[in-house]
Amino acid sequence: KFLVRSLESVLAQTRKPNEIIIVNDGSTDQTQKVFENFVEKLTPENHKKLKYFMHEKNLGPIPTFNHGLEIATGDYLIFLPADDWFAKTLLEEEAGILDKYPEIGVVYSQAISVMDGKEELRVAAPAGKETVIGRNEFERLLTQGDFVPLLTAMFRRKLYEKLGGWDDDLRFHADHEFWIRLAKFSPFAYLAKPLAYYRIHRAADHLRSEYQSSFEPEFAYILKKHLGKNDAS
């Protein structure tokens, strides 16, 4: 049901997407059947927008997101994990910023967290409470953590083509490193409003200690990559 909600939120956008790429990372549940049932009900126009790919085995999120990037042909790209969904105006508002400001490479917004049916707006302090069009986020992302909600960040494909996709040497913080890399070469825009919904899984709690222990080695790698050995020491 979460996959269907995600797809419905994309199709219901006030600014329609040019293409929708779905990468199934070797799911062994009913995802394939759910998707097939969903597609049967689509209009011919929406059906043409879908590109569906199935991995023979589970490769993990980084190869999966990179696969989607390699396939994408649109000028503007955005990720949407299958459990999450967009507010109706996300594409219109964020793509509108990129249309209006050619110097902006990435635009992101706030996201509402959903756990056990309860919604909560969590705004990272570095993002702030005011909309900002054109901000250098490189230093802030390096020093203040990852405050860019993955499912809200829309970026120009030409940036990805120039700088590459997610770094597969990282396990947990590849999205953060990706934003840092993009911020090196382009200003960001931030919309201080919630335009997406992020579902929190209780089932993922068993990964918490492993995730926490990843910060030191992975951020050491990120700092060395972007600042050089001497600066990161």
Side-chain angles (χ1 to χ4, degrees):
K1 65 179 182 180
F2 299 113
L3 173 62
V4 171
R5 174 182 282 181
S6 296
L7 291 171
E8 287 178 340
S9 78
V10 176
L11 294 172
Q13 290 294 296
T14 53
R15 174 166 171 164
K16 302 305 180 184
N18 294 326
E19 63 181 1
I20 304 170
I21 297 168
I22 301 167
V23 183
N24 184 334
D25 190 27
S27 299
T28 56
D29 54 16
Q30 297 298 311
T31 298
Q32 179 76 18
K33 186 173 181 58
V34 168
F35 174 75
E36 291 173 354
N37 290 338
F38 178 80
V39 168
E40 289 179 359
K41 303 174 185 177
L42 293 180
T43 64
E45 180 183 2
N46 284 331
H47 196 286
K48 290 178 182 178
K49 294 180 179 181
L50 290 179
K51 299 178 181 179
Y52 182 80
F53 299 85
M54 175 77 171
H55 292 166
E56 292 184 3
K57 62 179 181 179
N58 183 272
L59 302 179
I62 296 174
T64 300
F65 282 126
N66 279 335
H67 187 188
L69 286 173
E70 292 168 2
I71 299 162
T73 63
D75 291 334
Y76 307 155
L77 309 178
I78 190 168
F79 300 113
L80 181 61
D83 289 338
D84 308 329
W85 62 99
F86 292 150
K88 286 186 177 182
T89 62
L90 183 144
L91 296 187
E92 178 181 359
E93 296 194 51
E94 295 196 355
I97 295 295
L98 297 180
D99 289 342
K100 186 176 181 179
Y101 301 97
E103 73 278 11
I104 299 294
V106 182
V107 55
Y108 68 100
S109 70
Q110 300 168 351
I112 292 175
S113 299
V114 182
M115 186 172 186
D116 297 334
K118 297 180 180 179
E119 298 183 359
E120 179 182 0
L121 177 60
R122 300 178 181 180
V123 180
K129 298 181 180 180
E130 302 291 335
T131 292
V132 181
I133 307 299
R135 183 164 66 184
N136 185 339
E137 300 284 31
F138 178 68
E139 182 178 344
R140 289 152 48 82
L141 282 165
L142 273 176
T143 60
Q144 300 184 49
D146 184 7
F147 49 85
V148 177
L150 167 67
L151 70 163
T152 74
M154 181 182 292
F155 55 97
R156 297 184 189 274
R157 181 163 57 93
K158 66 180 183 181
L159 270 181
Y160 151 68
E161 291 175 340
K162 176 180 179 180
L163 303 174
W166 287 23
D167 188 332
D168 57 12
D169 286 329
L170 293 165
R171 181 178 179 187
F172 291 105
H173 305 284
D175 54 335
H176 188 182
E177 191 279 327
F178 186 63
W179 309 135
I180 290 171
R181 200 176 339 135
L182 269 54
K184 261 186 173 181
F185 294 90
S186 178
F188 282 36
Y190 166 61
L191 301 181
K193 60 173 67 176
L195 292 176
Y197 295 81
Y198 167 67
R199 196 169 75 89
I200 299 175
H201 296 264
R202 287 190 179 276
D205 286 352
H206 68 283
L207 296 175
R208 185 169 296 171
S209 61
E210 188 177 4
Y211 174 77
Q212 293 297 332
S213 66
S214 73
F215 276 88
E216 184 174 349
E218 294 206 1
F219 276 101
Y221 171 88
I222 290 172
L223 289 172
K224 182 177 180 180
K225 178 174 180 177
H226 291 284
L227 297 180
K229 182 176 180 181
N230 293 333
D231 292 357
S233 61

